[in-house]
């Protein structure tokens, strides 16, 4: 074709485009190249060994965002002090610092329109800051105070405890508040740290000295990983960080955090019901899963997306929401098993009398994906969707460095995402069926129902008869509601 | 459903000055059929955040069809003449047959409603109260639904988008607008235009009657099964006496269960005309190429000559201050509201600044009620400007040993202090510093920017959003004191007190 013709086509194409094809499948698209970001390209080390992931964007918006990830969490709490980790995290920022009292810190941060946030969870914590580029020096100084010299002011601690106590009293107000207490006990046992929960007594027992000691223990360079992004030059930022975070030495009380302990609990599969007077039950269910490094991981992911992990396109949603109108939503997923084998779990809410029927429909879908190979078109849709959406999951560079830092902290392999799309694309219908048979064993199910127990247990008498106890060959147990402050069962 | 007041206030705090003018480069076009197109081109991520907003919401409803704007939003995912069915002809016949059967069922329901009115039955939805003919009609409807299900390509819209790598397909409805959005890979803009133009031109509301049940479950999820959902709904109905803001966006249950496809068709043709819609794209595209694509697809939708009716009811001044006292399985709390002004009103910026001065860790409410007096465990304020009106609220949770009424008194005292003494220069400067930072923050994320542009188009024009920082920056200490005096009288006040229900 002559050059002039091509040019003419391009011009008319730009002005008029072509007539729309009758079906969207007939559209053609330019290829979209995307290379997986590599952790090594962002990584540096401070002089004391702290790994840091840096994304400089000198032409971007004039912010600097820094996040120090901390290895350690509630799994390190002594018995009787449940809540210590989260209180320590909260009060690092809220309680002021040795040089800047809490009220002055509040005022200064809000005046600068900057932010410092600190929190500690089950297995890790983070202290993060966000400042305008022009305020970097002052912001980083305040940040280092919060990280290394928190004052844990007594009056702020008292206030926080009062606030938390109010929150504890609200524990049974919502169905998911109840599920949050019961589910870890059913999955990991009462003795595992993941089941440990703050009580009125443990909250009362926590002192300012406990917070200071917990903080001192965690503040060890080997427990820290850093991410930083925003408008700066990489070398200048590394220099600044080396003079601040890089100068951090372990204090006398600092300890390298040990490995997170896995539960050693023998699960008792069954249907568990907590009675709560609401018109709609919350249903949670779980099965033993796998770790992200398991060779089955990619097949399991695809299997889950087909079954319940991809919204309207997954089978459970089609059946239970679109066909039957029984719920606003149902979804399932594998947790990645950061510290021990994770779970495959799901959640659905439906009016009390529909609970049994919804579970029967869901269990039938579990059996179907085990019994019948997934049709080629359905498999292709799910695999394409994971592969095509992969670039958008990385987002901006700030997200990328945060992801790499979090993964380093957890201990995942550094190049874990290389080849991910290829491995997903290689999953076959047989792989899906094999994963389904391996991971969807209904005899291992733990099902938790929080709702009006009598109605949920009776089922939908007229339209879809069948009692909850007959949903699966599993024992049905009523669990008592717990006192929200003591967590002791109420009779 | 509603924007949360906190986010509105945060979104409002943005400015163009003084660091350096950060104009957001919005390209605005209007298609010959009246549809507006907003485009913001940038290339830092290989995706495009797309959406379109229709200027219709629950405020455009009337008693009897409350919830239809939201139900409609659900129906827009059910496919078109092309998407979602294997046999468009039979599909249409089945819809007609279903509608006829539902018409007969409605007559049966009329009978039951009459019986309920006379107290002969307690609940028109009780299966035991149905006549044999009623049961038979339900069985017939079920058969028609089953047959249609055989022809349906389930949730095909979602499937086509998913396979293309698009994420976040969703929509939401407020009292003022309905917004449909998704993020697509940078090479898939044409797919978005194809699918969205198709559902604007060729929508078919199939699975209409089972979707009403989904909405009822959504209502249980959001309202009835939450500790304070129904109390909040009652409070909202108390605040708005005449204006359609008084009913919930999701609608009253009896309306949701009786709305018909005819009413939905009617609603669609009235409000979903291209001249009542703005399309917005933000992300990795070339503006002229993108516009040509949008023109090709959306340009073919016929415009409507009769404009959608306007909401004309003006909220009258209240005859008296009102108070709602409730018990619930929830933390005790108090909320004091005052009716203010629409989001585009010239006083809205000063009210936003006032709420910022009251809010935050170093704001007046936290300092006075939580830190100094320790009467509350938290306290806050917000100015929620909507299209036709606004609400300024003050709220707090009492500390153990204190009552909601004590908190209420102190909340009002803080406003009175500002009425008498005004605010300080330092307080105003703090807000303006926050405005400056948000000038940049508000444009960082493609999807957030798209959402904010859509919100502004729903209540007025995207220009209101662009100019918001300048309006906030122009607010003076005198302005803040003036609005504090103007809008906080008892005649526009409604107060809600929630006490914890005693355990039995």
């Amino acid at each position: 074709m002559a050059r002039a013709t091509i040019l003419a086509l391009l011009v008319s194409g730009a002005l008029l485009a072509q007539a729309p094809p009758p079906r969207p499948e007939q559209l053609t698209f330019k290829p979209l190249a995307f290379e997986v970001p590599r952790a090594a390209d962002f990584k540096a080390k401070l002089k004391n060994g702290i790994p840091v992931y840096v994304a400089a964007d000198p032409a971007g918006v004039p912010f600097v965002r820094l996040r120090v990830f901390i290895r350690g969490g509630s799994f390190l709490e002594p018995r009787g002090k449940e809540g210590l980790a989260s209180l320590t995290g909260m009060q690092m920022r809220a309680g002021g610092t040795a040089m800047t009292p809490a009220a002055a810190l509040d005022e200064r941060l809000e005046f600068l329109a900057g932010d410092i946030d600190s929190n500690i969870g089950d297995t890790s914590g983070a202290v993060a800051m966000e400042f305008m580029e022009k305020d970097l020096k002052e912001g980083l100084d305040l940040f280092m105070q919060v990280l290394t010299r928190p004052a844990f002011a007594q009056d702020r601690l008292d206030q926080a405890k009062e606030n938390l106590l109010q929150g504890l009293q609200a524990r049974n107000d919502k169905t998911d508040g109840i599920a949050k207490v019961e589910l870890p006990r059913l999955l990991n046992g009462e003795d595992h740290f993941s089941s440990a929960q703050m009580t009125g007594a443990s909250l009362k027992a926590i002192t300012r000295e406990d917070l200071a000691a917990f903080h001192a223990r965690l503040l060890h360079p080997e427990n820290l990983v850093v991410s930083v992004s925003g408008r700066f030059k990489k070398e200048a930022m590394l220099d600044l960080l080396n003079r601040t975070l890089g100068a951090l030495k372990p204090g006398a009380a600092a300890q390298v955090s040990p490995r997170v302990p896995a539960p050693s609990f023998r699960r008792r599969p069954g249907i568990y019901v907590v009675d709560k007077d609401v018109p709609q039950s919350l249903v949670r269910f779980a099965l033993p899963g796998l770790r992200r490094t398991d060779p089955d991981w990619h097949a399991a992911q695809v299997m889950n997306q087909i079954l319940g992990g991809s919204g309207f396109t997954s089978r459970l949603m089609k059946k239970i929401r679109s066909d039957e109108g029984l719920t606003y939503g149902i979804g399932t997923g594998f947790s990645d098993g950061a510290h021990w084998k994770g779970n495959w779990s799901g959640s659905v809410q439906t009016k009390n009398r529909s609970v049994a029927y919804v579970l029967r429909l869901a269990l039938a879908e579990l059996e179907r994906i085990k019994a019948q190979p997934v049709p080629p078109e359905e498999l292709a849709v799910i695999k394409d969707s994971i592969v095509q959406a992969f670039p958008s999951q990385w987002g901006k560079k700030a997200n990328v460095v945060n992801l790499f830092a979090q993964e380093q902290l957890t201990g995942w392999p550094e190049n874990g995402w290389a080849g991910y799309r290829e491995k997903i694309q290689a999953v076959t219908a047989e792989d899906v069926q094999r994963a389904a048979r391996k991971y969807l064993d209904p005899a291992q199910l733990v099902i938790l129902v929080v709702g009006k127990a009598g109605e949920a247990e009776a089922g939908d008498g007229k339209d879809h008869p069948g009692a909850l106890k007959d949903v699966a060959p599993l024992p049905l147990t009523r669990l008592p509601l717990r006192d929200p402050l003591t967590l002791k069962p109420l009779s | 459903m509603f924007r949360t007041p906190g986010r509105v206030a945060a979104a409002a705090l943005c400015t163009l000055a003084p660091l350096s003018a950060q104009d957001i480069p919005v390209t605005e076009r209007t298609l010959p059929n009246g549809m507006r197109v907003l485009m913001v081109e940038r290339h830092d991520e290989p995706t495009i955040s797309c959406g379109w907003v229709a200027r219709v919401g629950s405020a455009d409803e009337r008693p009897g069809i409350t919830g239809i704007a939201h139900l409609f939003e659900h129906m827009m995912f059910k496919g078109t003449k092309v998407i979602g069915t294997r046999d468009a002809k039979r599909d249409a016949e089945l819809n007609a047959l279903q509608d006829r059967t539902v018409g007969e069922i409605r007559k049966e329901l009329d009978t039951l409603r009459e019986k309920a009115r006379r107290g002969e039955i307690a609940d028109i939805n009780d299966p035991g109260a149905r006549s044999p003919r009623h049961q038979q009609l339900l069985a017939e409807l079920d058969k028609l639904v089953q047959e249609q299900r055989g022809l349906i390509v389930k949730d095909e819209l979602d499937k086509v988008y998913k396979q293309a790598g698009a994420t976040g397909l969703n929509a939401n409805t407020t009292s003022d607008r309905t917004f449909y959005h998704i993020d697509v890979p940078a090479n898939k803009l044409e797919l978005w235009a194809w699918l969205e133009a198709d559902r604007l031109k060729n929508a078919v509301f199939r699975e209409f009657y089972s979707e009403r049940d989904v909405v009822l479950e959504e209502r249980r999820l959001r309202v009835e099964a939450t500790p304070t959902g129904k109390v909040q709904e009652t409070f909202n109905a108390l605040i708005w006496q005449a204006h359609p803001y008084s009913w919930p966006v999701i609608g009253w249950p009896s309306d949701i269960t009786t709305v018909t496809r005819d009413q939905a068709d009617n609603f669609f043709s009235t409000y979903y005309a291209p001249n009542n819609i703005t399309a917005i794209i933000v992300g990795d595209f070339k503006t002229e190429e993108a516009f040509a694509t949008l023109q090709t697809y959306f340009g073919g939708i016929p415009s409507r000559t009769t404009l959608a009716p306007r909401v004309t009811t003006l909220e009258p001044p209240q005859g008296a201050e009102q108070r709602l006292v409730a018990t619930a399985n929830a933390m005790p709390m108090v909320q004091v509201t005052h009716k203010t002004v629409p989001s585009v009103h010239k006083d809205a910026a000063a009210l936003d600044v006032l709420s910022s001065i009251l809010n935050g860790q170093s704001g007046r409410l936290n300092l006075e009620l939580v830190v100094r007096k320790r009467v509350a465990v938290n306290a806050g304020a917000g100015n929620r400007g909507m299209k036709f009106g606004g609400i300024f609220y003050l709220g707090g949770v009492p500390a153990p040993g204190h009552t909601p009424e004590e908190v209420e008194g102190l909340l009002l005292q803080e406003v009175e202090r500002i009425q008498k003494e005004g605010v300080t220069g330092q307080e105003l400067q703090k807000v303006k510093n926050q405005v400056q930072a948000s000038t940049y923050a508000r444009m960082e994320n493609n999807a957030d920017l798209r959402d904010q542009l859509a919100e502004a188009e729903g209540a007025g024009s995207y220009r209101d959003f662009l100019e918001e920082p300048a309006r906030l920056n122009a607010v003076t200490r005198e302005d803040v004191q003036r609005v504090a005096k103007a809008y906080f009288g008892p005649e526009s006040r409604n107060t809600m007190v929630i006490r914890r229900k005693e355990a039995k």
Side-chain angles (χ1 to χ4, degrees):
Chain A
M1 217 187 285
R3 194 186 202 116
T5 327
I6 294 171
L7 196 67
L9 270 175
L10 283 173
V11 170
S12 70
L15 293 178
L16 274 167
Q18 298 190 341
R23 293 267 329 166
E25 293 78 12
Q26 292 154 345
L27 294 168
T28 53
F29 306 104
K30 278 185 260 174
L32 184 71
F34 177 79
E35 279 190 39
V36 187
R38 295 186 316 172
D41 294 343
F42 297 90
K43 193 174 179 181
K45 244 186 176 47
L46 299 182
K47 61 187 183 195
N48 56 357
I50 297 178
V52 46
Y53 294 87
V54 191
D57 185 8
V61 287
F63 289 111
V64 178
R65 292 171 176 126
L66 173 73
R67 177 175 284 262
V68 173
F69 294 82
I70 305 170
R71 199 175 284 120
S74 66
F75 73 95
L76 300 170
E77 286 169 348
R79 265 184 186 266
K81 303 264 184 187
E82 290 81 11
L84 173 58
S86 68
L87 251 179
T88 305
M90 221 182 282
Q91 293 309 106
M92 283 173 70
R93 154 70 185 86
T97 76
M99 302 79 139
T100 315
L105 186 60
D106 290 347
E107 171 63 27
R108 193 60 193 159
L109 288 177
E110 286 181 350
F111 191 80
L112 294 175
D115 189 38
I116 296 177
D117 179 65
S118 59
N119 66 77
I120 301 177
D122 284 359
T123 61
S124 72
V127 186
M129 67 168 228
E130 173 182 310
F131 285 96
M132 293 195 71
E133 180 194 17
K134 67 182 173 63
D135 300 321
L136 173 60
K137 204 169 161 297
E138 182 180 354
L140 185 59
D141 177 51
L142 293 170
F143 175 84
M144 287 304 294
Q145 291 180 30
V146 168
L147 180 70
T148 64
R149 303 290 304 280
F152 297 117
Q154 187 68 50
D155 59 336
R156 293 297 179 114
L157 176 61
D158 293 343
Q159 264 169 42
K161 285 166 77 169
E162 230 165 53
N163 201 346
L164 286 168
L165 192 68
Q166 280 279 26
L168 290 188
Q169 275 156 354
R171 213 172 220 159
N172 290 342
D173 291 352
K174 295 183 186 166
T175 48
D176 68 341
I178 297 168
K180 222 177 277 174
V181 170
E182 297 304 333
L183 199 59
R185 291 166 186 260
L186 294 171
L187 298 182
N188 300 333
E190 293 219 348
D191 297 329
H192 191 249
F193 79 88
S194 59
S195 303
Q197 303 264 356
M198 195 190 288
T199 63
S202 79
L203 184 63
K204 203 171 166 204
I206 296 170
T207 65
R208 192 190 156 275
E209 287 65 39
D210 292 329
L211 267 60
F214 199 78
H215 167 261
R217 165 190 186 145
L218 291 183
L219 196 68
H220 191 297
E222 286 189 39
N223 290 337
L224 307 182
V225 180
V226 176
S227 73
V228 60
S229 61
R231 195 196 268 188
F232 52 77
K233 291 207 176 75
K234 185 171 177 179
E235 288 315 311
M237 177 53 71
L238 281 174
D239 190 47
L240 187 60
L241 292 182
N242 260 320
R243 279 185 279 126
T244 49
L245 283 165
L248 193 70
K249 293 188 178 63
Q255 295 176 40
V256 179
S257 293
R259 288 174 60 95
V260 177
S264 58
F265 175 68
R266 206 180 165 81
R267 268 182 209 178
R268 284 184 282 273
I271 305 170
Y272 297 87
V273 182
V274 183
D275 186 27
K276 161 96 183 152
D277 187 9
V278 280
Q280 186 183 57
S281 292
L282 169 65
V283 183
R284 294 258 160 89
F285 47 92
L287 282 167
L290 68 171
R291 299 197 70 203
R292 208 170 86 190
T293 42
D294 194 295
D296 285 343
W297 179 254
H298 303 87
Q301 282 299 308
V302 173
M303 186 277 288
N304 172 66
Q305 297 275 310
I306 294 167
L307 179 59
S310 59
F312 286 98
T313 294
S314 60
R315 293 179 176 184
L316 289 173
M317 192 80 148
K318 282 182 193 165
K319 184 75 201 162
I320 295 169
R321 169 168 164 155
S322 301
D323 279 357
E324 304 285 336
L326 288 168
T327 186
Y328 183 62
I330 177 165
T332 64
F334 282 99
S335 58
D336 65 2
H339 304 286
W340 62 85
K341 276 190 183 182
N343 289 295
W344 176 79
S345 57
S347 180
V348 60
Q349 289 178 285
T350 186
K351 58 188 174 294
N352 296 312
R353 69 181 157 89
S354 305
V355 168
Y357 184 49
V358 162
L359 281 170
R360 284 217 311 279
L361 292 172
L363 285 166
E365 289 301 331
L366 261 63
E367 290 311 315
R368 181 158 79 97
I369 200 169
K370 285 155 69 176
Q372 298 164 19
V374 54
E377 202 222 335
E378 195 180 5
L379 179 64
V381 168
I382 292 298
K383 292 199 298 188
D384 287 353
S385 113
I386 299 173
V387 168
Q388 298 289 329
F390 184 76
S392 70
Q393 283 166 10
W394 291 82
K396 290 186 190 300
K397 288 215 173 74
N399 302 343
V400 172
V401 289
N402 278 331
L403 177 80
F404 284 142
Q406 182 69 61
E407 296 207 329
Q408 157 95 31
L409 191 84
T410 309
W412 291 117
E414 192 168 85
N415 58 351
W417 293 103
Y420 179 77
R421 287 174 291 182
E422 291 75 9
K423 285 177 191 151
I424 290 288
Q425 214 45 280
V427 171
T428 65
E430 293 75 54
D431 295 335
V432 169
Q433 197 170 14
R434 193 166 34 78
R437 288 178 174 165
K438 185 165 175 185
Y439 293 101
L440 302 180
D441 176 7
Q444 299 299 315
L445 263 174
V446 169
I447 300 171
L448 174 66
V449 179
V450 185
K452 206 160 191 175
E455 288 180 15
E457 285 168 358
D460 190 346
K462 236 190 166 93
D463 298 335
H464 308 286
L468 185 58
K469 69 175 171 47
D470 300 325
V471 156
L474 293 166
L476 188 145
T477 312
R478 276 257 190 130
L479 296 177
L481 208 57
R482 291 168 194 278
D483 178 282
L485 287 185
T486 65
L487 291 183
K488 298 250 164 61
L490 293 164
S491 52
Chain B
M1 303 199 318
F2 270 105
R3 294 184 286 168
T4 61
R7 284 197 55 172
V8 176
L13 298 178
C14 312
T15 182
L16 297 176
L19 196 77
S20 69
Q22 288 295 310
D23 293 321
I24 298 173
V26 178
T27 304
E28 175 195 358
R29 299 276 166 82
T30 303
L31 299 177
N33 61 9
M35 185 162 169
R36 285 151 58 73
V37 176
L38 306 179
M39 294 170 286
V40 184
E41 172 182 338
R42 46 208 211 164
H43 303 282
D44 48 354
E45 284 177 83
T47 58
I48 306 172
S49 292
C50 310
W52 53 272
V53 59
R55 280 173 276 277
V56 56
S58 59
D60 298 295
E61 299 164 351
R62 55 172 174 75
I65 60 164
T66 65
I68 198 172
H70 168 257
L71 176 68
F72 198 77
E73 170 217 317
H74 280 235
M75 294 318 300
M76 284 296 276
F77 289 80
K78 290 298 183 181
T80 66
K81 291 174 192 156
V82 183
I83 297 292
T85 184
R86 293 187 180 86
D87 182 347
K89 190 166 158 279
R90 181 65 188 152
D91 182 74
E93 287 167 9
L94 286 165
N95 275 344
L97 288 169
Q98 286 177 25
D99 293 347
R100 197 184 308 157
T101 312
V102 168
E104 294 300 309
I105 293 173
R106 277 170 74 92
K107 288 182 198 156
E108 295 290 325
L109 283 171
D110 288 344
T111 311
L112 291 179
R113 209 172 285 110
E114 181 59 19
K115 283 188 177 172
R117 200 168 71 84
R118 294 183 179 279
E120 292 163 14
I121 59 170
D123 176 8
I124 65 164
N125 295 312
D126 176 11
R130 292 173 193 153
S131 71
R133 175 169 159 73
H134 191 165
Q135 283 296 1
Q136 190 199 330
L137 287 166
L138 288 172
E140 275 170 30
L141 179 64
D142 195 50
K143 247 178 85 185
L144 293 167
V145 168
Q146 294 299 339
E147 187 188 341
Q148 188 176 40
R149 204 172 279 167
L151 306 176
I152 284 175
V153 184
K154 267 287 162 192
D155 294 305
E156 190 176 11
L157 181 73
D158 188 66
K159 189 184 85 173
V160 173
Y161 269 134
K162 277 243 165 64
Q163 187 159 21
T167 56
L169 174 66
N170 214 333
N172 58 70
T173 309
T174 68
S175 48
D176 302 321
R177 73 356 162 237
T178 314
F179 179 41
Y180 299 79
H181 58 87
I182 189 162
D183 298 334
V184 299
N187 60 343
K188 302 279 169 54
L189 182 68
E190 191 176 1
L191 179 68
W192 175 74
W194 196 104
L195 288 166
E196 301 302 322
D198 180 48
R199 63 174 167 164
L200 278 167
K201 266 187 296 198
N202 301 317
V204 176
F205 309 140
R206 56 178 69 93
E207 297 185 290
F208 187 83
Y209 301 104
S210 68
E211 198 61 20
R212 298 190 311 195
D213 294 336
V214 171
V215 173
L216 287 177
E217 287 293 350
E218 183 180 0
R219 206 188 127 78
R220 286 186 194 102
L221 179 80
R222 297 192 195 280
V223 182
E224 292 158 18
T226 65
T228 60
K230 289 174 80 170
V231 178
Q232 296 281 358
E233 206 169 69
T234 305
F235 188 47
N236 190 64
L238 184 75
I239 293 173
W240 300 99
Q241 170 175 349
H243 198 273
Y245 284 163
S246 68
W247 55 78
V249 174
I250 201 160
W252 300 117
S254 58
D255 289 351
I256 297 170
T257 47
T258 46
V259 69
T260 63
R261 198 188 333 249
D262 252 8
Q263 288 170 324
D265 281 340
N266 204 353
F267 197 78
F268 179 71
S269 61
T270 309
Y271 291 104
Y272 277 71
N275 34 341
N276 203 29
I277 288 173
T278 305
I280 303 149
I281 55 174
V282 180
D284 189 9
F285 54 79
K286 295 205 177 79
T287 299
E288 290 311 319
E289 271 179 34
F291 181 67
T293 302
L294 300 199
Q295 191 163 23
T296 301
Y297 287 90
F298 294 110
I301 306 168
S303 66
R304 248 169 280 273
T305 42
T306 47
L307 279 178
R310 301 290 164 201
V311 175
T312 50
T313 302
L314 294 175
E315 181 71 6
Q318 279 177 211
E321 184 181 350
Q322 303 184 99
R323 192 169 187 85
L324 180 76
V325 181
T327 57
N329 290 311
M331 280 197 233
M333 60 96 74
V334 61
Q335 196 175 93
V336 185
T337 69
H338 292 86
K339 269 173 278 191
T340 54
V341 293
S343 58
V344 296
H345 189 279
K346 65 180 177 52
D347 282 347
L351 286 160
D352 284 340
V353 171
L354 174 62
S355 79
S356 292
I357 286 172
L358 292 168
N359 267 328
Q361 291 295 316
S362 64
R364 289 192 177 206
L365 297 182
N366 188 60
L367 280 185
E368 200 56 32
L369 276 71
V370 182
V371 176
R372 291 206 188 106
K373 298 213 168 80
R374 296 185 64 171
V375 166
V377 292
N378 66 59
N383 181 43
R384 185 202 290 162
M386 296 177 287
K387 186 171 180 177
F388 302 106
I391 289 176
F392 195 104
Y393 75 87
L394 302 152
V397 172
H402 294 274
T403 63
E405 285 78 4
E406 281 174 84
V407 176
E408 178 187 354
L410 291 175
L411 288 169
L412 287 169
Q413 201 173 302
E414 286 311 307
V415 177
E416 275 163 33
R417 250 177 71 198
I418 293 176
Q419 288 170 338
K420 282 190 197 125
E421 300 159 19
V423 298
T424 69
Q426 164 91 1
E427 284 175 316
L428 190 61
Q429 189 56 48
K430 190 197 295 179
V431 176
K432 294 195 175 174
N433 290 349
Q434 291 165 359
V435 169
Q436 186 194 347
S438 358
T439 304
Y440 301 100
R442 72 174 189 163
M443 54 184 280
E444 269 197 285
N445 178 289
N446 290 344
D448 284 354
L449 180 55
R450 172 202 61 196
D451 295 354
Q452 295 172 91
L453 290 169
E455 213 59 65
E457 283 283 306
S461 153
Y462 76 99
R463 289 179 191 282
D464 298 316
F465 167 73
L466 296 188
E467 290 159 8
E468 204 160 31
R471 285 202 305 276
L472 287 163
N473 261 327
V475 171
T476 64
R477 288 167 60 192
E478 291 69 33
D479 291 331
V480 178
Q481 190 170 17
R482 179 178 56 77
V483 295
K485 284 179 180 167
Y487 292 102
F488 290 82
E491 63 280 4
S492 78
R493 183 180 303 155
N494 293 287
T495 304
M496 170 174 70
V497 169
I498 297 181
R499 295 187 219 289
R500 180 171 280 289
K501 201 179 262 181
E502 293 301 322
K504 279 175 223 156

